[in-house]
């Protein structure tokens, strides 16, 4: 394999793609503007623990990393809902209570992927190299590195440089490129629930949610027996980061709204003061490719984290890109065009699903109607298996294309509704006939 591939961004998706390509014999150079995170450590308050599920594990299995990653994660088999009056209710993710998603530190996963890429003789990692210019037609790049300017020419260029991608910015100047960037009215801030007497303060087999209507907090377990908690609050207005602007106000708000968590967070004031507020946004663009340049992961489809599918979707991108390369050899133009055409609808679909799940997590999970439907659909899944799958099941525990999920959910519900209506009509007809015979 003679192709020389340049990947911009050494995050999760870029590192996995480098490993996949390197294992196929491609020469791969990965350029990252940050220092090596395995040396510097994760940036404070910027982890948002990942929930790796079937799609991500499928990609990791292809490069022999599934077991390594699972060993660094904790299985969560459902949601633990925390009410204001200290009540708790466990809602399993699957009808059998066995399937779950895996909580893992972003930094831990990134380190595993970087180690795997770096171990390959054809992969080279270049940290502290900022992309300063990209000529798409000539496939040339300019970087500013620690030792000065660096000029690179590549057979293919993959932009895996995140939601604020420099590669995408270069593509935006080309005729016919569509782009939108939508910020959610909410932002996030991370906090910590430490271990208590050397053990987890909360059940580690659940993703914990404190739904409060217009906002929420979640908490995911870590291997060191702590939990990473994340606030998703409005930027402005009542109960917002703008209103609760001091650690003292935060403590009072927690005492009133998250009382069971507040007593488990001795460092709340310090975390609230020191950890930054992060933005939540959705990026949509098209096309994802231009000649021998393409976007992947968040650079192509940054989404909100409410289905835990950001990394999983990016890893699926890697699978499809490599699949198209296998089908088309070194014809990068055709392979990247096919990849983009297949994955673009999936990126749009999971963005919509993630926004839908935010409303469910912060509000619907507490409603009696939601609980009835949730329980019924899980029962139908147990009875009919593959013939009736919940939305969550298809997103998290299958590789069903994201774009096929919502149409299937609607079709299933229509079918069940029609069967139920038919059963009611049949019962009514039998009752009517019996009444007629009596009269």
């Amino acid at each position: 394999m003679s192709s020389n591939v340049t990947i911009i961004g050494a995050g999760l998706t870029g590192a996995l793609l480098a490993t996949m390509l390197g294992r196929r014999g491609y020469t791969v150079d990965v350029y990252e503007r940050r220092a090596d995170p395995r040396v510097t450590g994760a940036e404070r308050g910027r982890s948002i623990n990942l929930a790796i599920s079937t799609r991500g594990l499928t990609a990791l299995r292809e490069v022999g990393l599934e077991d390594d990653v699972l060993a660094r994660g904790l299985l969560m088999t459902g949601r633990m809902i925390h009410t204001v009056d200290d009540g708790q209710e466990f809602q399993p993710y699957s009808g059998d209570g066995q399937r779950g998603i895996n909580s893992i530190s972003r930094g831990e996963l990134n380190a595993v992927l970087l180690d795997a890429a770096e171990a390959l003789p054809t992969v080279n990692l270049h940290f502290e190299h900022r992309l300063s210019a990209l000529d798409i037609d000539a496939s040339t790049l300019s970087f500013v590195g620690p030792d000065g300017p660096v000029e690179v020419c590549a057979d293919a260029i993959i932009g895996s440089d995140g939601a604020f991608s420099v590669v995408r910015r270069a593509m935006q100047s080309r005729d016919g490129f569509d782009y939108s960037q939508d910020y959610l009215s909410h932002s996030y801030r991370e906090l910590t629930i430490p271990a208590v007497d050397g053990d987890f303060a909360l059940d580690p087999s659940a993703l914990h949610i404190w739904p409060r209507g217009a906002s929420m907090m979640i908490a995911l377990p870590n291997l060191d027996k702590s939990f990473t908690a994340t606030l998703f609050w409005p930027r402005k207005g009542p109960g917002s980061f703008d209103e609760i602007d001091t650690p003292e106000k935060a403590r009072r708000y927690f005492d009133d709204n998250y009382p069971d968590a507040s007593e488990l967070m001795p460092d709340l004031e310090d975390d609230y003061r020191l950890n930054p507020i992060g933005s939540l946004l959705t990026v949509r663009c098209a096309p994802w490719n231009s000649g021998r340049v393409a976007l992947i992961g968040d650079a192509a489809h940054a989404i909100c984290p409410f289905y835990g599918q950001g990394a999983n979707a990016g890893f699926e991108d890697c699978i499809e890109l490599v699949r198209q390369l296998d089908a088309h050899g070194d014809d990068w133009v055709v392979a990247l065009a096919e990849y983009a055409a297949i994955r673009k609808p999936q990126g749009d679909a999971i963005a919509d699903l993630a926004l839908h799940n935010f409303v469910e997590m912060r509000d619907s999970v507490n409603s009696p109607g939601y609980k009835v439907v949730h329980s019924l659909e899980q029962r139908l899944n147990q009875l009919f298996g593959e013939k009736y799958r919940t939305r969550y099941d298809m997103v998290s525990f299958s590789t069903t294309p994201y774009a096929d999920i919502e149409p299937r959910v609607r079709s299933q519900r229509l079918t069940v509704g029609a069967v139920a209506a038919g059963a009611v009509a049949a019962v009514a007809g039998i009752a009517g006939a019996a009444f007629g015979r009596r009269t």
Side-chain angles (χ1 to χ4, degrees):
M1 197 72 63
S2 59
S3 291
N4 184 323
V5 185
T6 294
I7 297 175
I8 312 302
L12 303 176
T13 303
L16 177 62
L17 182 61
T19 302
M20 287 182 165
L21 295 176
R23 287 165 61 94
R24 283 167 168 75
Y26 290 95
T27 299
V28 184
D29 285 280
V30 183
Y31 290 88
E32 168 61 52
R33 64 177 178 81
R34 301 169 300 167
D36 188 339
R38 295 169 296 178
V39 176
T40 61
E43 184 181 355
R44 181 179 180 123
R46 292 294 194 191
S47 65
I48 298 193
N49 276 41
L50 301 170
I52 297 296
S53 51
T54 297
R55 298 170 195 272
L57 294 175
T58 300
L60 293 167
R61 193 176 307 130
E62 289 201 5
V63 293
L65 293 176
E66 180 183 17
D67 290 342
D68 286 347
V69 169
L70 287 176
R72 291 166 169 79
L74 290 162
L75 182 66
M76 303 178 295
T77 58
R79 299 166 170 167
M80 186 70 77
I81 309 303
H82 295 252
T83 61
V84 178
D85 59 3
D86 288 353
Q88 295 185 23
E89 178 188 4
F90 184 73
Q91 297 179 355
Y93 286 135
S94 64
D96 59 12
Q98 300 301 307
R99 285 174 290 184
I101 56 179
N102 300 277
S103 172
I104 185 170
S105 155
R106 178 183 294 273
E108 285 269 351
L109 179 56
N110 205 177
V112 170
L113 293 170
L114 289 172
D115 287 346
E118 195 170 48
L120 297 169
T122 58
V123 176
N124 302 293
L125 305 180
H126 309 272
F127 294 99
E128 298 181 82
H129 280 70
R130 179 177 58 82
L131 180 62
S132 57
L134 166 60
D135 186 323
I136 293 175
D137 294 322
S139 294
T140 58
L141 310 97
S142 300
F143 296 91
V144 177
D147 299 320
V150 177
E151 303 296 324
V152 174
C153 184
D155 295 311
I157 299 167
I158 309 298
S160 182
D161 49 340
F164 302 101
S165 169
V166 178
V167 177
R168 188 184 64 234
R169 195 184 309 153
M171 294 174 69
Q172 284 176 235
S173 64
R174 299 178 77 81
D175 187 51
F177 188 90
D178 292 324
Y179 169 73
S180 69
Q181 176 178 289
D182 299 310
Y183 280 88
L184 201 62
S185 59
H186 290 61
S187 297
Y188 75 90
R189 175 179 257 146
E190 292 187 354
L191 308 168
T192 300
I193 299 176
V196 176
D197 297 327
D199 203 356
F200 290 102
L202 301 166
D203 182 352
S205 66
L207 187 157
H208 294 259
I209 307 177
W210 289 258
R212 298 297 182 260
S215 63
M216 69 176 180
M217 180 173 75
I218 67 171
L220 279 73
N222 299 307
L223 287 180
D224 66 359
K225 306 293 181 69
S226 69
F227 281 80
T228 298
T230 307
L231 299 173
F232 295 101
W233 287 358
R235 290 196 296 272
K236 297 183 180 299
S240 68
F241 286 115
D242 188 52
E243 178 184 71
I244 306 166
D245 57 356
T246 68
E248 294 74 26
K249 289 180 182 178
R251 176 63 76 181
R252 290 195 294 272
Y253 190 86
F254 264 69
D255 288 343
D256 291 339
N257 293 275
Y258 312 108
D260 59 335
S262 186
E263 64 185 25
L264 300 174
M265 304 173 79
D267 301 321
L268 170 62
E269 286 87 351
D270 285 344
D271 284 346
Y272 201 86
R273 177 172 57 86
L274 296 172
N275 290 355
I277 296 173
S279 297
L280 299 165
L281 75 160
T282 300
V283 168
R284 302 177 196 263
C285 65
W288 290 7
N289 66 297
S290 182
R292 289 179 290 160
V293 179
L295 304 171
I296 197 167
D298 284 355
H301 54 79
I303 62 175
C304 292
F306 305 116
Y307 243 123
Q309 287 296 301
N312 292 287
F315 288 178
E316 273 201 327
D317 290 346
C318 295
I319 291 176
E320 190 58 52
L321 194 154
V322 169
R323 182 181 292 140
Q324 293 306 318
L325 282 175
D326 289 346
H328 300 287
D330 276 339
D331 192 336
W332 283 94
V333 173
V334 173
L336 294 180
E338 288 294 317
Y339 147 77
I342 291 168
R343 288 301 295 170
K344 162 64 176 172
Q346 311 312 320
D348 288 344
I350 189 54
D352 291 337
L353 286 163
L355 292 171
H356 172 275
N357 207 43
F358 181 39
V359 176
E360 180 174 305
M361 291 174 71
R362 79 185 194 209
D363 191 10
S364 303
V365 291
N366 269 333
S367 73
Y370 168 84
K371 294 175 185 178
V372 169
V373 172
H374 177 74
S375 177
L376 173 61
E377 290 199 317
Q378 288 196 331
R379 181 59 179 157
L380 289 170
N381 177 237
Q382 285 182 289
L383 289 171
F384 300 111
E386 291 292 319
K387 294 182 179 179
Y388 195 102
R389 304 193 71 172
T390 67
R391 180 188 289 111
Y392 194 95
D393 186 81
M394 285 187 280
V395 170
S396 297
F397 306 134
S398 82
T399 56
T400 302
Y402 291 124
D404 293 350
I405 292 174
E406 206 56 35
R408 181 168 171 180
V409 168
R410 290 195 296 269
S411 175
Q412 289 177 163
R413 289 179 175 178
L414 284 172
T415 299
V416 169
V419 170
V424 170
V427 170
I430 292 170
F435 179 76
R437 286 195 296 272
R438 288 197 301 271
T439 59

